[in-house]
Amino acid sequence: MKQQFIDMMQFRHACKVFDETRKISDADFLYILECARLSPSSFGFEPWKFLIVQDPSLREKLKQHTWGAQGTLPTASHFVITLARTAKSMHFDSDYIEYMMKQIHHIPEQGRIARKSYYKEFQLHDFKLTQNDKTMLDWAMKQTYIALANMMSGAAFIKIDSCPIEGFNEEKINTLLAEEFAIDSAEFRVAHMVAFGYRKEQPGDKTRLKLEEISSWY
Ligand SMILES: Cc1cc2nc3c(=O)[nH]c(=O)nc-3n(C[C@H](O)[C@H](O)[C@H](O)COP(=O)(O)O)c2cc1C
């Protein structure tokens, strides 16, 4: 079991170009999205949304502002843009938080009041998330990376390759999302992208710091 997991970690690499002749099956891609959906989030508030971009003309538009995906945007079997929720929905007093607690977590009214007061305290004082909208957005974005890791690991587990992507101009992508994908920028902003497919070439050896360099015991 342990070795299987490590083998999967070794298999995963940032794949720069995919084999265009191979497509991920619908069932396998739904499994990758399920890995995202089942990911943990702070208070269980799921501050994300996943856009699956298959339209070549939309991919071409993304390519103009995404230097980190020049080889993957045209060749990926599936291409995902992960959005993070903004302060508008993550604020303790928002309709979205009420919706999550009531409709998704099925918490009765008294419980919701108590939970909201914890969440408010956490946002106001523990993490000071309400200081400005960017702080709140960054907090939501941090969480989207858990879903990213789970999607990539889940894919690698069934021998599907991936590449995480942050090489883009944030402002330009957010504008494109509003204009071409009908995304409400008051509610969602780009967090990262991730391409999936099957490798065209074998990757080089993994380069990593030694465990002693990145860990300390107390
Ligand atoms: C948050 C994040 C953003 C990244 N952005 C890009 C990118 O834009 N384009 C790219 O080709 N690789 C990108 N990478 C891949 C890294 O360069 C790669 O994971 C790292 O060099 C380690 O290599 P490995 O993943 O093959 O083991 C990104 C990785 C992470 C985690």
Side-chain angles (χ1 to χ4, degrees):
M1 296 267 275
K2 277 185 286 186
Q3 193 53 48
Q4 265 181 305
F5 198 84
I6 293 296
D7 288 347
M8 174 277 287
M9 299 284 282
Q10 290 283 2
F11 175 87
R12 190 217 55 78
H13 70 291
C15 185
K16 307 293 180 189
V17 181
F18 297 100
D19 177 350
E20 285 176 83
T21 64
R22 296 186 66 194
K23 295 290 168 220
I24 299 170
S25 71
D26 290 349
D28 283 354
F29 195 70
L30 283 179
Y31 150 86
I32 291 170
L33 289 178
E34 189 66 354
C35 294
R37 195 178 73 91
L38 292 176
S39 295
S41 57
S42 188
F43 290 83
F45 287 148
E46 306 179 43
W48 46 53
K49 195 179 188 88
F50 305 94
L51 309 182
I52 299 98
V53 188
Q54 301 302 79
D55 180 337
S57 67
L58 285 177
R59 285 198 191 181
E60 185 52 43
K61 285 178 183 157
L62 287 169
K63 196 166 164 250
Q64 290 163 24
H65 310 297
T66 311
W67 53 264
Q70 294 298 298
T72 48
L73 261 168
T75 60
S77 167
H78 289 68
F79 194 88
V80 177
I81 304 177
T82 302
L83 309 181
R85 282 191 172 273
T86 64
K88 186 181 172 195
S89 41
M90 296 318 292
H91 191 271
F92 61 83
D93 237 357
S94 74
D95 292 344
Y96 175 73
I97 295 303
E98 181 64 15
Y99 165 76
M100 285 302 291
M101 288 195 296
K102 190 173 177 181
Q103 308 295 347
I104 306 299
H105 300 160
H106 309 295
I107 304 171
E109 191 175 358
Q110 281 312 308
R112 291 204 300 278
I113 292 168
R115 201 163 167 78
K116 197 182 275 189
S117 79
Y118 280 117
Y119 186 48
K120 179 178 174 180
E121 188 63 19
F122 168 77
Q123 289 204 329
L124 286 180
H125 301 120
D126 295 336
F127 264 49
K128 298 189 172 38
L129 298 175
T130 53
Q131 282 181 342
N132 61 61
D133 287 356
K134 176 82 170 94
T135 308
M136 187 79 88
L137 179 64
D138 284 344
W139 175 64
M141 283 195 188
K142 283 199 284 190
Q143 298 176 54
T144 68
Y145 286 78
I146 301 172
L148 169 65
N150 285 339
M151 283 191 280
M152 293 193 299
S153 298
F157 195 66
I158 58 168
K159 303 278 186 247
I160 290 174
D161 291 299
S162 62
C163 187
I165 296 145
E166 260 186 349
F168 55 81
N169 182 299
E170 215 176 15
E171 205 179 311
K172 296 225 165 84
I173 295 298
N174 280 320
T175 304
L176 196 66
L177 288 172
E179 288 172 358
E180 303 284 341
F181 295 74
I183 297 299
D184 179 1
S185 57
E187 201 138 14
F188 290 103
R189 299 287 168 85
V190 62
H192 59 258
M193 304 175 186
V194 53
F196 294 98
Y198 294 95
R199 66 188 66 184
K200 194 164 184 179
E201 291 156 11
Q202 288 310 310
D205 291 339
K206 280 225 176 293
T207 57
R208 290 294 189 270
L209 293 169
K210 292 193 179 69
L211 190 57
E212 305 84 77
E213 293 175 273
I214 58 158
S215 62
S216 307
W217 290 65
Y218 298 94

